[in-house]
Amino acid sequence: MAPFRNLPDATILTDRDALEPYRHDESHVLGTLPLAVVRPRGPAALKELVRLAKAEGFALVPRGAGTGKAGGCLPTGQRAVVVDFSAWPGEIQVSPQDLSLRAPASALLRDVKAAAAAQGFFYPPDPNSWESCALGGTLATNAGGPNACKYGMTRHWVLAVDALLEDGEIHRFGISSVKANAGPALGQLLIGSEGIFGFIVGATLRLTPLPREYTTLLLPVKHWQDLLDLPGRLCGAGYLPSAFEFFDPAVLAELRAHGPEEARRLPGEALAILEFDERGCTSEPFLEGLLDLLGPVAEGLEVASDERQRQGIWAVRRMTSAFLKERHPKKVSEDIVVPRSRLGEFFTGLERLGIPSVSYGHLGDGNLHVNLLAAGETEPALLERQLMDLFRLSMSLGGTLSGEHGIGLAKREAFLVLSDPGQIHALRALKQALDPCGIFNPGKVI
């Protein structure tokens, strides 16, 4: 295309077959065909792209590895250019003295975590796609994962971000230290913003010493409801798992009937995975105290005796999403959140609504992956009502409609309808101030 002919330091794709994959991510949403895909390799390409977008009137849509689940990286409308950061330059650099790590947006999260671990440090965020997703995407969506139960979301681990703004320049917000109090933390505004204010091209991340001990427990229960008060009881008694995952009876039925061999042997009416990584968690006093707290629920408890067993337990959890997607390719997976103290009320309400669904995910922090497996065969208006009922239920209990996937295209209408009007007004005012020409990922979130 003529506007991109002289774009410096970039690879440009315009062939329709090459553009088609950019209409998809891991969500159920389908984007429009972009005008082009640009893979920038330096600041000059981005500066010229911003100039062209303003002059020619097209939008810029950021993309990492395409593993998002809310359609946030998909083009909309008829004039959009996807900015694919997979070729963005930079190396992962660990600073042990600062307990920090710098990395480009293009770095795979698995490589970020491995670089930290190689020097004895830990970067906790671990979304299910951690082996294939790009760091930039995790920053844009404020990714979570099982470790968020103890360690919090991605934003808790970001010290500074490098971001492209509407002037075409890359600006750094933050420093390589936990103490930076010179005005509001603008870098945090960009974390989880899904690229609507500007594009993150790199970040400085906070690290913590690598855990030296793990206790991993497989906890089957005879009665599903017995699981629902456990997160609150554990936290109230001073036990904070680094992860507390669960499978409801319906998910277990799917896995046992159609899953791999190791999944078909899973015990219990429902099932939980608990992991602790604090110092002393492998000691007898710790385990005895935990068993006393669990009481009769712990009757079928299994403790991983070595790393191989630990990884085997986690392998089943990691494959659950992919298994359900393969079995039900048109399913819709929502990631609502309710407070730990109201989990029982949520599942009672879900049953009352009669929404056909299966649930699994992060019970320890109330982030539940509610899957509507029959979404592809459900009349669209009915599906929309089911989703809105699900969102309203979670919000009525003090929760929210997304815990880690973000809003993107998939939840935009629900977000606009259900959010406090003051929140929408403030976000739109920020959008206008930071992106007055509306070139950065329009049509997402707000």
Side-chain angles (χ1 to χ4, degrees), residues 71 74 76 196 408-410 412-413 431 438 440-446:
L74 304 183
T76 59
I196 65 172
L409 286 173
R412 181 174 184 266
E413 292 306 315
K431 172 72 169 173
F440 289 129
N441 214 12
K444 314 295 166 50
V445 186
I446 54 172

Side-chain angles (χ1 to χ4, degrees), residues 394-445:
S394 63
M395 295 183 75
S396 73
L397 296 172
T400 187
L401 71 168
S402 178
E404 56 187 2
H405 295 166
I407 302 301
L409 286 173
K411 297 184 182 181
R412 181 174 184 266
E413 292 306 315
F415 181 69
L416 293 175
V417 169
L418 299 176
S419 296
D420 185 309
Q423 179 183 10
I424 301 300
H425 176 76
L427 288 173
R428 286 178 170 166
L430 288 167
K431 172 72 169 173
Q432 178 61 33
L434 293 171
D435 182 22
C437 296
I439 62 171
F440 289 129
N441 214 12
K444 314 295 166 50
V445 186

Side-chain angles (χ1 to χ4, degrees), residues 218-295:
L218 192 67
L219 177 62
V221 294
K222 294 180 179 179
H223 306 291
W224 150 233
Q225 295 293 325
D226 288 345
L227 274 185
L228 301 183
D229 71 335
L230 274 186
R233 282 208 293 131
L234 284 169
C235 291
Y239 287 88
L240 182 58
S242 55
F244 188 153
E245 303 292 288
F246 85 107
F247 305 80
D248 79 354
V251 167
L252 280 186
E254 281 276 319
L255 288 166
R256 286 174 182 143
H258 307 288
E261 184 60 33
E262 60 270 25
R264 298 185 184 213
R265 299 193 299 268
L266 291 172
E269 180 188 54
L271 188 65
I273 298 171
L274 283 79
E275 185 161 272
F276 297 87
D277 65 1
E278 63 199 74
R279 188 181 298 274
C281 67
T282 58
S283 68
E284 286 190 16
F286 181 92
L287 292 173
E288 288 172 358
L290 179 61
L291 289 173
D292 285 344
L293 177 64
L294 293 175

Side-chain angles (χ1 to χ4, degrees), residues 135-157:
L135 175 64
T138 70
L139 298 167
T141 59
N142 187 31
N147 278 331
C149 178
K150 176 177 179 179
Y151 292 100
M153 304 287 284
T154 291
R155 72 166 65 256
H156 294 91
W157 297 90

Side-chain angles (χ1 to χ4, degrees), residues 23 45 55 120 161 165 167 198 237 266 283 386 389 412 434:
R23 299 178 66 193
V161 297
L165 297 187
D167 61 358
L266 291 172
S283 68
Q386 290 175 337
D389 285 344
R412 181 174 184 266
L434 293 171

Side-chain angles (χ1 to χ4, degrees), residues 174-175 177-185:
I175 63 172
S177 175
V178 294
K179 284 192 173 181
N181 200 27

